[in-house]
Amino acid sequence: MQDLASEKLTTEEGVRASPVKKPTATKFDFMVVSNRLPVDRISDDGDEKDGWRRSPGGLVTALAPMMTKSDGAWVGWHGAPDETVRPFSHEGMDLVPVQLSSHEVELYYEGFSNATIWPLYHDVIAPPEFHRTWWDSYRSVNKKFADAVIRHAADGATVWVQDYQLQLVPRLLREARPDLKIGFFNHIPFPPPEIFAQLPWRREIIDGLLGADLLGFQRPSDAGNFMRSARRFLGASVKQQQVHVKGPDGEVTHIARAQAFPISIDVDQIRELAANPDIMERAKQIRRDLGDPKTILLGVDRLDYTKGIGHRLKAFEELLREGSIKVEDATLIQVASPSRERVEQYRLLREEIEGTVGHINGTYDTIQNTAVRYLHHSYPVEEMVALYLAADVMLVTALRDGMNLVAKEYVTARSDDDGALVLSEFAGAADQLKQAFLINPHDIDGLKSAILRAVNLPPKEARRRMKLMRKQILDHDVDYWSAAFLAALEEKVVRDDS
């Protein structure tokens, strides 16, 4: 296959990739489709020649090797609105950018994806908004993504569509290219029908998803919720984990399967970093900088209302007030990376969390000790692993979470099998990490009790719990996840009409 050009031309209007040779003739046997490409633009002072760097994150880690080894391409938005970037290659990956206008980013992404679908799928922790203009933009942008695949997919290609921003793409691909093998993976929860029913376009979303041959979800309950919604809102014929999808003529066109494929992390990367002497020393320095407290508790989240940061702070404050934990002995580090700061709900959440932290520290800090060290930053993975090594107790108190990979990263980093994990039962990771202290974050008394148990956990019991959790993650890393999904997608489905 010909190489795609990657040389750039810089103009006052933006950065554009140079033309590729006959881009419409470029065909790929394997395509990944996601809202964003697996690369980020480097600032002008970067020294990389082509102006891009590979994005961090488990999905890119899992699929990038396949892109470089196979005749594959990744379709996605390159991150800058109102800018044209042509197909290019980066580190052996062929990339097909989808162009989005500022108006489309506002309506399709900030609007329908993150102010309608996100809160709806997370148990309406925040009220979703339903606007027809957002829906119209979501439909048109999904068609843009589908059209990019249609142009570049080889005959019989495998296409793997990722996440809630692109739920209409499978049906669009099925209608235009029935020769394709289509997979879809939903990285966030899928709500029960009683909640999903609120969506005015519920039938269209279910129909869009049923264009796939295989639908992957984080938990069996998510797959079950989808199947129940397919039966309730489309009258679909559901048998076990299969939906017999019918065309306009009433004939079955294909069988869509729904299964759980819990995503995981790049285990090797975390283990190598945790064994790095510089990072181990950095972890010791973090403890020294905090005054060598007896216990360091850690929370690492995007600043999002689904993460239960307020519940965590409330429990910690009550423990300080009661004297069950003393500021001289324990410090909570809360990393809250910036998220969707243009959305009003997120701006208000930041004010609330920062106000709570200020109240706790104003009440309980001493000259030598800080109760909560609040960090509203994003950090590189090296610093995150140092924090994992420094922390005695990891707090994951999500109110609803598809998986929560931070919990898995913490456990993987604990190569000495020490430490403790307090984990919400509403995070997908709870299905695999059963030796954590599983909690209902809405139960503040139960959360406080679990924190105290974790803080006072005997070393022998800590090792037993951590060893079992680490084995589970080491045996089921991100490569296992992607291989399991793609193997299931390739399986021949036996049609059962009985």
Side-chain angles (χ1 to χ4, degrees), residues 177-248:
R177 292 286 304 276
D179 60 296
L180 299 177
K181 189 174 289 292
I182 305 165
F184 180 91
F185 189 80
N186 198 59
H187 292 259
I188 67 174
F190 196 91
E194 294 76 17
I195 289 178
F196 188 71
Q198 297 179 36
L199 184 65
W201 308 280
R202 60 201 187 188
R203 290 176 58 87
E204 290 90 337
I205 292 292
I206 294 292
D207 184 62
L209 291 169
L210 285 176
D213 296 288
L214 178 64
L215 291 146
F217 297 91
Q218 300 282 24
R219 312 180 82 168
S221 58
D222 296 323
N225 285 342
F226 172 78
M227 288 298 200
R228 289 196 292 137
S229 289
R231 180 187 291 115
R232 176 171 169 179
F233 301 118
L234 280 188
S237 173
V238 178
K239 297 182 179 180
Q240 296 180 334
Q241 293 178 308
Q242 299 181 357
V243 178
H244 290 212
V245 184
K246 296 179 180 179

Side-chain angles (χ1 to χ4, degrees), residues 151-417:
R151 285 196 304 271
H152 291 282
D155 290 343
T158 295
V159 181
W160 194 1
V161 185
Q162 305 289 331
D163 224 3
Y164 63 102
Q165 301 95 345
L166 303 174
Q167 294 176 101
L168 305 181
V169 171
R171 169 60 66 188
L172 294 169
L173 295 179
R174 174 74 56 186
E175 292 173 348
R177 292 286 304 276
D179 60 296
L180 299 177
K181 189 174 289 292
I182 305 165
F184 180 91
F185 189 80
N186 198 59
H187 292 259
I188 67 174
F190 196 91
E194 294 76 17
I195 289 178
F196 188 71
Q198 297 179 36
L199 184 65
W201 308 280
R202 60 201 187 188
R203 290 176 58 87
E204 290 90 337
I205 292 292
I206 294 292
D207 184 62
L209 291 169
L210 285 176
D213 296 288
L214 178 64
L215 291 146
F217 297 91
Q218 300 282 24
R219 312 180 82 168
S221 58
D222 296 323
N225 285 342
F226 172 78
M227 288 298 200
R228 289 196 292 137
S229 289
R231 180 187 291 115
R232 176 171 169 179
F233 301 118
L234 280 188
S237 173
V238 178
K239 297 182 179 180
Q240 296 180 334
Q241 293 178 308
Q242 299 181 357
V243 178
H244 290 212
V245 184
K246 296 179 180 179
D249 59 0
E251 294 296 317
V252 174
T253 59
H254 69 286
I255 294 175
R257 292 169 289 150
Q259 298 174 220
F261 297 90
I263 198 171
S264 194
I265 63 170
D266 182 356
V267 164
D268 291 339
Q269 179 194 35
I270 301 298
R271 292 174 74 187
E272 288 171 10
L273 290 172
N276 184 309
D278 292 339
I279 292 177
M280 295 171 73
E281 178 56 34
R282 172 61 184 149
K284 295 176 182 177
Q285 183 63 48
I286 290 171
R287 295 193 73 98
R288 289 194 293 268
D289 290 346
L290 292 172
D292 282 319
K294 179 181 176 183
T295 304
I296 293 178
L297 302 98
L298 175 64
V300 175
D301 311 88
R302 279 190 314 104
L303 188 55
D304 192 288
Y305 50 76
T306 65
K307 301 301 183 180
I309 300 173
H311 296 64
R312 182 183 314 161
L313 292 173
K314 181 177 179 60
F316 187 65
E317 179 184 12
E318 289 191 9
L319 289 170
L320 288 169
R321 185 193 312 147
E322 296 164 0
S324 303
I325 286 179
K326 298 184 183 300
V327 72
E328 293 82 5
D329 297 330
T331 295
L332 169 61
I333 302 174
Q334 177 59 58
V335 177
S337 59
S339 176
R340 300 170 189 164
E341 297 191 300
R342 290 174 50 175
V343 179
E344 178 70 4
Q345 286 177 327
Y346 287 79
R347 186 184 64 77
L348 295 174
L349 175 66
R350 178 180 178 181
E351 291 180 0
E352 177 188 336
I353 296 301
E354 292 180 353
T356 301
V357 170
H359 167 72
I360 294 173
N361 288 341
T363 305
Y364 298 101
D365 280 7
T366 67
I367 296 295
Q368 296 85 10
N369 307 107
T370 296
V372 181
R373 187 63 60 89
Y374 176 76
L375 306 168
H376 184 59
H377 305 289
S378 296
Y379 291 96
V381 65
E382 293 82 3
E383 183 73 357
M384 295 311 307
V385 173
L387 285 168
Y388 296 150
L389 292 177
D392 303 288
V393 178
M394 185 81 211
L395 303 179
V396 177
T397 57
L399 307 181
R400 193 78 165 93
D401 218 338
M403 179 51 61
N404 195 288
L405 297 179
V406 164
K408 294 189 174 185
E409 289 177 349
Y410 175 77
V411 169
T412 302
R414 308 300 296 192
S415 55
D416 291 337
D417 292 327

